[in-house]
Each structure stands twice: as structure tokens, then as C-alpha cells.
């Protein structure tokens, strides 16, 4: 097999951002500035990094942002009260509560309090329904939307292809499967999970594999059919004393072995990761447009 196409998420994310800069400039001409509120409860180090990157992206694009870093002990009621304030704040068009929250917080109940028109994560049941109904006014979770944009940017055909999505989370696996099976993409989709029997054999029937399980380097060459496309959604920190921070980041795919077999692959970092933030910015601009029209 010749060497695969290395899907450059940084580059595709950059071109999405350039489109947004123009759209934001046009909104500003009308006196409108898109605004995003990012809420983090607790001190999870990875979440702190993600939240910081989201706010930085807003600054780079000229999106107004608020960063709310609340202590771990914040109660459900306090968090919901903040969300109600953000729902009512006309400067804010998008609200994101970083997942996962501390254990005492009921995430689903919190999400129900976000105005669906400001739910730029696409986690509210109204937006989940709109995705299934293929109603384009709704919000689609950023990471799976980013995966679809990568397939589009690289002209990777999905119609009639067999896609295996590994993972059934509400953040990635389930919305990913819905996007792939939609009338826009027309893939035939299998959702695999921890109880799936003989996962490697199933994956070997896939033309497209989306790995979103959160298990470092689980998908090895043995899972991959010659010429398949592999999207790696995993961001796993594994201890590595040779690195300044004491860890390195790997995906859910064993890149070195899989790259010998596949036609195209997303690296970690630099693949799906940058797309998530670009699509969050895109969803914020979309929310702003829809709320101000
Ligand atoms: N945690 C990991 N990914 C995400 C995401 O896309 N949105 C939120 N809110 N939390 C996350």
C-alpha cells in the first residue's frame, strides 16, 4: 500500500475560520457581535485546556466571549441560575457547559435549562431531535460535524459506504452515526460499543472507521481493511517521562500500524481536534444569525 493521505485538520479548520472572519465582519457592519459563554465547573486539567482554547479562538475571530470558571462545589441550582442569566443575556448567542461536570451535577438536567437556540454544543434534546429529523436549523455537536467537514474537504465519498462508528456517546458516537446515515451523506452505518462481538472483524468490513471510544491506541492494523479511511476522535493523555509535561497525547488509533493499511487517516494531534473548535465558532455565528434575524 502506498502511504496514506494524512488529513490535515489544522488546515481545514483554518479555512473554516477564514470564512467565519468574513461572516463576523458582515454581522459587525450591522452592529451585531456574536457572543459565546463557556462554563467550566471544577478543575479538571484537560477541561481547563479545552475551555482556554475555546475562549482564545473567540478572541482570534472577534467573537465576544465570557469564561465562567466555577468551583467544584458549585451546586446544580447555582449552575442552572447562571444558565438562566446567560439565556437572558442579549450579548450571548451560544452557551457551552464543558463536559464532564463534577459527579454531583446532573448534566442532562443542566442541559435542559440551556435555551435550545443558544445550545451550540447540540446537546439539548430539541437539537438531538432536529439532527435526527435533518432539520438544518438545529445545532449539531461540534466534533462529529468536524469529522464530516474533513470528509468533505478531502472529497471522501460516503454514499453507499459502510461506516463503523466505535463509541455511542451523545457527544460523538450517536450524532456521528446520524450524520453519516443522513440523506446528505447516505452511508450505511454500524455503531459499535463495548459489548460488540468481534470488533476487529466488524471493523474490517468498514470503508470508514470513526474511533471515538477514549481508549488509547485501541484500533490497530488488525481492525482495518486495506484502503479504508480512519478518523481518530480520541484525545488520551498517557504518562511519558521523556516529555516536559510528563505525558503525551495519543488517539484511539494506533497510528503507526494503521497508516500502513489505510487510504487516509487523521493524526492526533492535528486531525479532528482543531475541527471541534472551528465548528464551535461556526455554531456560535449560526446561533447569532438565527437569534438576530
Ligand atoms: N467535552 C469534550 N468534548 C466536549 C464538547 O464538544 N463540548 C462540551 N461542552 N464538552 C466537551
Amino acid at each position: 500500500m502506498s502511504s496514506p493521505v494524512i488529513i490535515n485538520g489544522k488546515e481545514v479548520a483554518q479555512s473554516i475560520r477564514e470564512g467565519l472572519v468574513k461572516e463576523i465582519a458582515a454581522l459587525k457592519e450591522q452592529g451585531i457581535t456574536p457572543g459565546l459563554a463557556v462554563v467550566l465547573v471544577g478543575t479538571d486539567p484537560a477541561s481547563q485546556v479545552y475551555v482556554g482554547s475555546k475562549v482564545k479562538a473567540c478572541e482570534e475571530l472577534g467573537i465576544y466571549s465570557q469564561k465562567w470558571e466555577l468551583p467544584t462545589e458549585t451546586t446544580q441550582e447555582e449552575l442552572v441560575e447562571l444558565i438562566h442569566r446567560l439565556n437572558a443575556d442579549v450579548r450571548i448567542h451560544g452557551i457551552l457547559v464543558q463536559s464532564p461536570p463534577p459527579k454531583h451535577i446532573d448534566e442532562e438536567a443542566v442541559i435542559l435549562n440551556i435555551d435550545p437556540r443558544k445550545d451550540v454544543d447540540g446537546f439539548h434534546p430539541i437539537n438531538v431531535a432536529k439532527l435526527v429529523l435533518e432539520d438544518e436549523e438545529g445545532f449539531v455537536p461540534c466534533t462529529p460535524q468536524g469529522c464530516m467537514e474533513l470528509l468533505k474537504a478531502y472529497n471522501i465519498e460516503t454514499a453507499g459506504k459502510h461506516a463503523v462508528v466505535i463509541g455511542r456517546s451523545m457527544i460523538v458516537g450517536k450524532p456521528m452515526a446520524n450524520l453519516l446515515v443522513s440523506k446528505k451523506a447516505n452511508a450505511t452505518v454500524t455503531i459499535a460499543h463495548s459489548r460488540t462481538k468481534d470488533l476487529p472483524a466488524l471493523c474490517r468490513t468498514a470503508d470508514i472507521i470513526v474511533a471515538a471510544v477514549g481508549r488509547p491506541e485501541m484500533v490497530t492494523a488488525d481492525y482495518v481493511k486495506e484502503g479504508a479511511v480512519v478518523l481518530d476522535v480520541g484525545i488520551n493523555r498517557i504518562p511519558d517521562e521523556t516529555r516536559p509535561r510528563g505525558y503525551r497525547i495519543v488517539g484511539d488509533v494506533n497510528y503507526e500500524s494503521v497508516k500502513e493499511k489505510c487510504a487516509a487517516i487523521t493524526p492526533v494531534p492535528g486531525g479532528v481536534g482543531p475541527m471541534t473548535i472551528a465548528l464551535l465558532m461556526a455554531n456560535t455565528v449560526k446561533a447569532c444569525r438565527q437569534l438576530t434575524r
Side-chain angles (χ1 to χ4, degrees), residues 61-125:
L61 267 58
I63 293 176
Y64 167 70
S65 67
Q66 292 181 0
K67 179 162 84 170
W68 293 86
E69 293 192 277
L70 307 179
T72 309
E73 319 76 68
T74 304
T75 65
Q76 175 100 4
E77 290 68 31
E78 288 166 331
L79 179 56
V80 167
E81 195 192 301
L82 171 61
I83 286 169
H84 289 167
R85 270 195 281 143
L86 296 170
N87 283 341
D89 189 334
V90 294
R91 296 168 300 175
I92 296 298
H93 308 100
I95 302 169
L96 174 152
V97 180
Q98 188 64 28
S99 182
K103 285 194 175 56
H104 66 279
I105 303 248
D106 177 350
E107 190 174 12
E108 274 178 47
V110 169
I111 289 165
L112 275 176
N113 283 279
I114 299 175
D115 182 335
R117 298 170 303 171
K118 296 191 176 187
D119 170 37
V120 286
D121 260 328
F123 293 170
H124 191 288

